[in-house]
Amino acid sequence: MLVKWIRCTVVDRPGFERGQRKWAGLPGEPGFRGQGGGWSRGRPDVAHVFAFWESRAFYDSFMARSHDRLAAAQSGTYRDMQVRLFEHRFDVKVGFEPRFSDADVVRVAHCRVRPDRVDHFTLVQEKVWNPAMAGSPGMLRGVFGEAPGNEFLVLSMWDSAAEHGKYRVERVERLGLRAQTEADVAAIAGDVVRVESAWTVA
C-alpha cells in the first residue's frame, strides 16, 4: 500500500473546503483505498490530507490521468504544498484500514533517521512503540511507512484528542528513552490533525 501525505498552508479557507469536496470522485479510480484529513490543531491555517493507494503503479496511473482535473478546484487556495509518498511497511495495531469515520484526531510523525540506525529504528517501532500505542485507550489504528532517503512516517488515528493527549503525557518520554529515539532520529516533525468528516472519501 502507498501512503500519500499532503501538507499545505491555506490562504482561502472557504475555497479550499469547497475544492476538497471535489475529491469525492476518487472512489471510481482503480487502486484507490481511501482519503481523509483535516486542520492542524496547532496551526489553524495548515491542512493535512492523507490518501491511500493499493500500489505505486495505480497511483502513478491516477496522477497521469485524473489528478489535475480534480485538483483544479483548489487552485489558488493554498501555498507551500509539500507532498510525500511512503510505502507501507507494517500496521500499528493490527488490520489497518484507511477509514476516518470513527477518528477524532490523526497524529502524524515524520522522521529522518540516521543511515546506520535504520534497522534499530524499525525494530523499536515494532517492539516498543507499536505495542504501547496499540494498548492505549482511544488508539484506533495506524500505519508505519518508509520513503527513500531514510524517511519514515508514523500515522495513528485516535477516537479523541484527550486520549491522544494522555498517551503523550504519560508514555512518550519514557518510551523515547527506552527506544533510544535520540540516537536513531536526525530530525522529527509532526502534527496533530483534527479530522474533518466532509473531507473523508471512502
Side-chain angles (χ1 to χ4, degrees):
M1 186 172 66
L2 187 76
V3 184
K4 181 179 186 177
W5 172 33
I6 305 158
R7 180 188 183 278
C8 62
T9 303
V10 174
V11 294
D12 170 7
R13 193 164 173 141
F16 184 86
E17 292 203 309
R18 273 197 307 276
Q20 198 59 38
R21 294 191 184 95
K22 300 288 186 193
W23 295 99
L26 277 169
E29 294 292 334
F32 174 73
R33 297 278 309 278
Q35 180 169 293
W39 299 103
S40 164
R41 283 174 59 89
R43 293 188 51 202
D45 59 339
V46 170
H48 295 266
V49 177
F50 308 98
F52 301 86
W53 293 83
E54 274 176 34
S55 70
R56 180 68 188 253
F58 279 123
Y59 170 74
D60 286 345
S61 172
F62 162 72
M63 290 300 290
R65 289 178 301 100
S66 310
H67 174 269
D68 291 358
R69 175 174 51 80
L70 291 169
Q74 282 175 306
S75 178
T77 65
Y78 59 84
R79 57 181 173 81
D80 304 333
M81 177 174 277
Q82 297 167 16
V83 178
R84 286 194 165 85
L85 301 174
F86 297 87
E87 288 287 349
H88 172 272
R89 284 284 301 273
F90 47 78
D91 294 348
V92 180
K93 221 164 177 176
V94 292
F96 178 80
E97 292 175 34
R99 283 192 297 117
F100 291 82
S101 55
D102 53 352
D104 181 42
V105 296
V106 173
R107 162 69 178 161
V108 56
H110 176 224
C111 305
R112 293 181 192 277
V113 177
R114 296 184 174 91
D116 59 328
R117 301 287 294 188
V118 165
D119 289 345
H120 181 263
F121 176 79
T122 305
L123 184 69
V124 295
Q125 184 65 44
E126 213 166 356
K127 304 294 185 199
V128 177
W129 291 106
N130 278 14
M133 265 200 276
S136 294
M139 193 277 184
L140 300 169
R141 67 189 77 83
V143 65
F144 178 76
E146 182 177 7
N150 307 316
E151 285 189 40
F152 294 86
L153 179 79
V154 185
L155 192 74
S156 55
M157 300 181 180
W158 299 76
D159 67 8
S160 77
E163 289 295 352
H164 173 258
K166 275 193 276 187
Y167 164 75
R168 199 170 60 194
V169 169
E170 292 168 7
R171 309 188 77 169
V172 166
E173 190 174 332
R174 183 167 48 82
L175 289 167
L177 292 171
R178 188 173 148 210
Q180 300 174 359
T181 303
E182 284 192 10
D184 289 350
V185 176
I188 184 166
D191 212 344
V192 178
V193 183
R194 193 181 72 249
V195 173
E196 291 286 338
S197 58
W199 300 11
T200 299
V201 186

